[in-house]
Amino acid sequence: MRRFPVTVTSDVFRRIPGVQYEMDDKGNKFIKLRGAFEPWCDPIYFVDGHYMTNLSSADIDDWVHPSEVAGIEVYSEGTAPAQFQAGLNGCGTIVIWTK
């Protein structure tokens, strides 16, 4: 994130291939991954190896400050290691590691 300064953590996803970052009229942010069965789908999230149910793009900004991010992994459906899968979600996984 040093090469491309960001204000909030979700801004990082603007530069990752296969990730779609959108904002609606009300300023709500949405992060979508390229899906296997649909063009774009909602990923599941893990923070420091812990599955985060119902985490939204806005929640990422509240939970993790950009200066705390050590790394981000993005997996398309079926490519995530077993520990970063949650049932048959039909989409990919985003894993965020903090310092």
Side-chain angles (χ1 to χ4, degrees):
M1 287 199 275
R2 291 182 185 142
R3 286 181 41 194
F4 304 105
V6 296
T7 306
V8 293
T9 302
S10 64
D11 286 344
V12 171
F13 297 99
R14 293 176 188 243
R15 297 190 178 274
I16 299 175
V19 177
Q20 187 177 56
Y21 177 96
E22 297 178 349
M23 193 176 296
D24 67 12
D25 312 356
K26 298 176 185 174
N28 297 315
K29 300 173 190 173
F30 299 94
I31 296 172
K32 304 277 188 179
L33 297 181
R34 195 174 314 272
F37 301 108
E38 55 188 293
W40 297 98
C41 56
D42 297 316
I44 58 172
Y45 295 91
F46 285 80
V47 177
D48 292 330
H50 300 283
Y51 176 54
M52 308 298 287
T53 58
N54 300 320
L55 189 69
S56 71
S57 305
D59 293 332
I60 290 171
D61 296 336
D62 292 338
W63 277 70
V64 183
H65 189 270
S67 65
E68 298 172 338
V69 175
I72 295 176
E73 302 172 41
V74 178
Y75 297 99
S76 59
E77 182 192 3
T79 64
Q83 68 266 31
F84 300 131
Q85 295 181 13
L88 301 170
N89 74 324
C91 196
T93 303
I94 293 176
V95 182
I96 301 172
W97 298 101
T98 61
K99 298 176 185 173

